Amino acid sequence: MTVLVPYRALLSMVARIFACRGVPEDRAAIAATALCHGDLTGVTSHGLVNLARLYLPLLDQGRADPRADMVVRTDLGACVFADARRTLGLWSASQAVELACARASRHGIGMVSLRGATHIGCAGHHAGRAVTHGMIGLIASNCGGQRIAPPPGGAAAMLGTNPLALACPAGDAHPFVLDMSTTVVPTGRVRAAAREGKPIPPGWLAAEDGSPVTDPAAFDRGEARLLWLGSDPETGAYKGFGLGLLVEVLGALLPGAALGAMSADGDRDDDIGVMALALAPDLLRAGFADDAAALFAAVRDWPAQDPAAPIVYPGWHEGERAARRRAQGVPVPDAVYGELTAAMERTTG
């Protein structure tokens, strides 16, 4: 069962909860928008379910500093190296994109290499902020020192799920937003299935001997490991693992953030590294916006095997869902709504 909550009311509740933990009000609003993006677009594995499970503990345990300022360490104009200093990643990742866009507006390209971040939520949400400036946005974020998935053939976990996201304008249509973990699925999808008591498809998890595991609860019991995109070496797992390492290089090695393969702990996603890249196509050539609109219109108009299931691109369904939920309200599972109202009561108690 779910509770239908008006979108603006939901944002206000979450922002108030963050502000009560010491997050400045302007940052709390940005963080709330980033967190609620998951439920707004239907990517619930990265939405409100993580408020009590992940973000409030980060603040309550002191692993995230609600009032720290992100500090620029090196400024080369188009390229910036910054230290997030354990600020709430839901805020600092968006600020990194905004800074990258500001630099791209002058140089055609802007890059912010960020260390010391905490969990950023939906990478696609942050990349999508560039679209509001008419730009292309790219986010590569590792999982700090956390180790979740082993390399193909490896006996122990090495890297996190290492998400990668790119957002591009598509004219008047919903923007193209590719937001993907480099593992088959993010851990949130596995845990969501476990909460619902539903089996998962073969190819998401494997036992130590490589046999498929369809019980999602086996992951948190330590009885199964998460697989890379491609699942098996024969079907492309080295490509998924390679993309995971690509994110590790761009997101964490470059700014000197924690690296999964070199972590002493492996359990905590502290000192996350993020690369935020913005490209300003209109500074490079005229006509990009029209060409982008035409490209994604052509994708939508492509002949489909089933006329009842037209071709769309990544970000389309999420955009449609977000538009409906902004108008009609956001469905929040009863259990999550209970956590939300309990957190709200503590802000007034």
Side-chain angles (χ1 to χ4, degrees), residues 5 47 50 58 80 134 144 201 209 214 218 238 245 288 293 320 334 338:
V5 184
N50 288 326
L58 273 175
V80 171
D209 63 1
T214 58
Y238 278 102
L245 281 172
F288 170 84
E320 287 287 285
D334 284 347

Side-chain angles (χ1 to χ4, degrees), residues 38-324:
D39 296 87
L40 181 69
T41 60
V43 188
T44 54
S45 62
H46 284 59
L48 288 166
V49 70
N50 288 326
L51 179 64
R53 186 191 73 83
L54 175 62
Y55 295 107
L56 296 187
L58 273 175
L59 292 165
D60 294 343
Q61 295 167 11
R63 292 170 57 202
D65 185 337
R67 295 190 176 277
D69 288 319
M70 188 172 69
V71 174
V72 172
R73 301 296 188 191
T74 304
D75 191 338
L76 301 177
C79 300
V80 171
F81 163 49
D83 188 343
R85 300 174 70 230
R86 296 186 296 108
T87 53
L88 199 59
L90 293 166
W91 169 76
S92 60
S94 281
Q95 292 306 100
V97 172
E98 292 296 332
L99 179 56
C101 288
R103 300 309 174 91
S105 69
R106 301 202 298 269
H107 303 286
I109 185 170
M111 186 199 74
V112 175
S113 186
L114 190 67
R115 73 180 181 197
T118 59
H119 196 280
I120 71 171
C122 293
H125 165 73
H126 303 294
R129 292 180 73 99
V131 173
T132 64
H133 299 281
M135 298 181 187
I136 298 169
L138 175 67
I139 288 283
S141 173
N142 87 330
C143 295
Q146 191 174 38
R147 296 193 293 263
I148 296 173
M158 176 190 287
L159 302 176
T161 55
N162 285 19
L164 183 66
L166 184 136
C168 178
D172 294 331
H174 302 302
F176 167 78
V177 182
L178 175 65
D179 185 352
M180 52 176 269
S181 62
T182 49
T183 48
V184 174
V185 289
T187 55
R189 290 279 301 279
V190 176
R191 291 185 172 118
R195 286 192 300 273
E196 296 168 6
K198 296 179 179 179
I200 56 174
W204 286 19
L205 298 177
E208 288 298 320
D209 63 1
S211 59
V213 174
T214 58
D215 174 11
F219 176 71
D220 278 330
R221 291 198 303 264
E223 299 169 1
R225 61 189 187 184
L226 192 62
L227 298 175
W228 296 100
L229 282 173
S231 296
D232 298 317
E234 295 79 8
T235 54
Y238 278 102
K239 292 181 181 179
F241 175 56
L243 285 171
L245 281 172
L246 179 150
V247 171
E248 199 82 354
V249 168
L250 295 179
L253 181 62
L254 182 61
L259 300 167
M262 301 179 69
S263 170
D265 186 339
D267 291 331
R268 287 192 166 190
D269 55 349
D270 293 330
D271 192 13
I272 287 172
V274 180
M275 183 189 75
L277 181 71
L279 302 170
D282 289 339
L283 294 187
L284 298 176
R285 68 172 181 91
F288 170 84
D290 290 341
D291 289 347
L295 168 62
F296 292 108
V299 172
R300 298 198 313 276
D301 292 340
W302 207 257
Q305 292 179 340
D306 179 0
I311 305 300
V312 294
Y313 49 81
W316 175 266
H317 288 307
E318 292 82 357
E320 287 287 285
R321 199 173 291 118
R324 289 195 304 271

